[in-house]
Amino acid sequence: AESDMVWDFIAGLCVMIQKVCVNVVHIIGDIFDRGNGPHKIMEELIDFGNVDVQWGNHDALWMGAAAGNQVSMCCVLRVGISYNTFDTLEHGYGLNLRALSMFAQDVYGDDPCERFRPKTLYENIYDEVEPDLAARMHKAVAILQFKLESQMLDRNPEWGIPERNVLHRTDFRRMVFTEDGQEHPLLDTNFPTIDPDDPSRLTPAEEELLRSIDGSFRQSETLRRHVDFLYANGGTYLRSNGNLLYHGCVPLTEDGEFDGITVDGTFYAGRDLFDYVERQMINAYYDRDDSEDHRRAVDFMWYLWVGALSPLFGKSKMATFENYFVADKAVRKEVYNHYYSLYEDPAICDKILTEFDVPTETGHIFNGHVPVKIKDGETPLKAGGKLYVIDGGISKAYQPKTGIAGYTLIFNSHHLALAEHTTFSEIENDMGSYTPKITVTEEMPRRILMRDTDAGAVLQERIADLQQLRDAYRKGLLKEERV
């Protein structure tokens, strides 16, 4: 105890026990934009080893930025600045914000940018940015994002969401935004870089800024390594031990039929939609042939972030522009896909399980994306326990809405259990000891053995192969080579 090494030994022993006790870690999406340390989380996951990730819309946003989607790049910066996570952007990923800072000071130096004041949930250690400057940077990159988004929507009419081209619906001479034929005055009317006759056109200074942003993302070795890991260890869904895992939703119509998108005359819904999305995400990152198909795949990464029928998102719209500039809350409302009202029905869950070739009698759906508002009486168990909503509500931004810091689902040989987490500020033990509230939700009919698992099935196949090899030698079908 006289040596400080004892604490390193204890910490190392704890990590060893953790790795022995936890066979696999499943992350049901959204590692990014949930705090000021996604780069640290990614390093922990890479070091842990046996991890898989079902990609969420926030993950797709960063993956899109790494694939070269410039709207995603601007959105990553906008979200990061809005939550004051400069340490993540600059120190964690090495993104150079100097050009954005200079541009913001030059263009918005006399603008208070009150609608763009960052939420200070986290204090920066390495990159403290004065709030007024942060607000100007926030507005500058938001306007750049809206312009690029407008251009992208114009060249992708097949997405079927022309109404999301918010710049086309805004009169920048009269400073009004139109929704369903009703005009709404803008809460901010200072747009020095917007041409009312061509609002999506970039100024020469914005084009230069965009080149700097693009280069910074493309040169981030840390971002590239982390996204490589996500691709190597992730997908849009996972079937594991007779269960189905995904982040967002399986888009449904009001009457419970699978909904989806039509691309080049082919309709994708249900499992086909998830498979199509995964193929496009892979093409966006790995294909570098500058073809039209590759360009569309890179653009599609943005649709996954905001598209009404994106299985990673599952809302009618991402009302970013409206939240900045329109006072009417009805205009800013984002409506969830019908999935989120229908998944309380066991028959709907069975339909989804069947679609993904998962047994309905024993299978479960483990679903991320939507925080569970425990304080409002919500429960993470849906459809009589067929579906679990497991969202990492440890994010400070969600804790006032949920009342807790999210759940972890534990699946062992005896039972399913939920670990309910409290916020770090509520952990009173000075030694850092902390045990979440554990609730067993389902007992296994019998103890699950290794041979009952997917990994066990692989081992049994290998054993069978070895037995056949042994028999072949015994029968003389294969001859031993003598050296």
Side-chain angles (χ1 to χ4, degrees), residues 200-382:
S200 65
R201 182 177 59 82
L202 271 58
T203 66
E206 285 176 320
E207 290 177 349
E208 183 178 350
L209 171 61
L210 184 60
R211 284 192 290 272
S212 174
I213 291 173
D214 184 276
S216 190
F217 272 89
R218 292 181 187 274
Q219 293 168 19
S220 173
E221 186 276 334
T222 303
L223 178 61
R224 179 70 55 186
R225 185 162 51 85
H226 289 177
V227 171
D228 283 346
F229 178 82
L230 288 176
Y231 272 101
N233 297 274
T236 53
Y237 67 94
L238 177 70
R239 293 175 297 171
S240 176
N241 297 324
N243 300 292
L244 176 63
L245 292 71
Y246 51 78
H247 174 74
C249 72
V250 181
L252 298 173
T253 63
E254 188 174 5
D255 57 1
E257 297 301 318
F258 293 123
D259 204 356
I261 60 176
T262 299
V263 181
D264 295 332
T266 301
F267 181 64
Y268 297 97
R271 183 177 175 181
D272 287 342
L273 176 60
F274 280 75
D275 289 338
Y276 174 78
V277 166
E278 185 164 326
R279 289 195 302 271
Q280 290 298 94
M281 294 180 74
I282 291 171
N283 292 343
Y285 190 63
Y286 288 109
D287 285 353
R288 301 289 175 176
D289 56 8
D290 295 324
S291 66
E292 177 64 14
D293 286 344
H294 178 246
R295 192 276 303 166
R296 291 172 63 186
V298 172
D299 280 0
F300 190 68
M301 297 294 286
W302 178 249
Y303 179 85
L304 297 175
W305 166 249
V306 299
L309 291 170
S310 163
L312 309 188
F313 179 51
K315 292 183 183 179
S316 58
K317 63 182 178 182
M318 181 83 75
T320 306
F321 184 89
E322 294 90 325
N323 283 324
Y324 285 130
F325 298 113
V326 180
D328 191 339
K329 291 184 178 179
V331 175
R332 289 150 48 183
K333 186 175 181 180
E334 301 172 351
V335 180
Y336 280 104
N337 184 268
H338 295 295
Y339 168 88
Y340 292 102
S341 58
L342 295 173
Y343 70 0
E344 297 275 7
D345 184 354
I348 291 293
C349 292
D350 284 346
K351 180 174 182 174
I352 293 171
L353 290 169
T354 300
E355 172 73 3
F356 285 83
D357 291 329
V358 176
T360 58
E361 298 80 9
T362 57
H364 306 82
I365 297 172
F366 301 138
N367 197 168
H369 195 47
V370 179
V372 180
K373 299 176 182 177
I374 297 299
K375 68 181 185 64
D376 295 338
E378 293 185 2
T379 172
L381 272 69
K382 312 292 182 183

Side-chain angles (χ1 to χ4, degrees), residues 31-47 62 85-94 124-127 220-223 225-227 229:
I31 296 169
F32 295 92
D33 302 326
R34 288 299 186 263
N36 61 346
H39 54 294
K40 299 176 184 177
I41 294 170
M42 287 300 303
E43 292 296 332
E44 290 289 333
L45 294 177
I46 292 171
D47 182 63
W62 284 69
T85 57
F86 286 95
D87 277 357
T88 294
L89 300 174
E90 296 191 279
H91 180 72
Y93 285 102
N124 293 294
I125 299 173
Y126 303 100
D127 299 287
S220 173
E221 186 276 334
T222 303
L223 178 61
R225 185 162 51 85
H226 289 177
V227 171
F229 178 82

Side-chain angles (χ1 to χ4, degrees), residues 22 48 79 98 103 132 204 221 233 294 315 331 349 365 409 431-432 452 468:
V22 180
F48 187 86
V79 174
R98 179 172 176 80
F103 175 88
D132 288 341
E221 186 276 334
N233 297 274
H294 178 246
K315 292 183 183 179
V331 175
C349 292
I365 297 172
L409 179 67
M431 295 297 292
D452 301 317
Q468 290 180 359

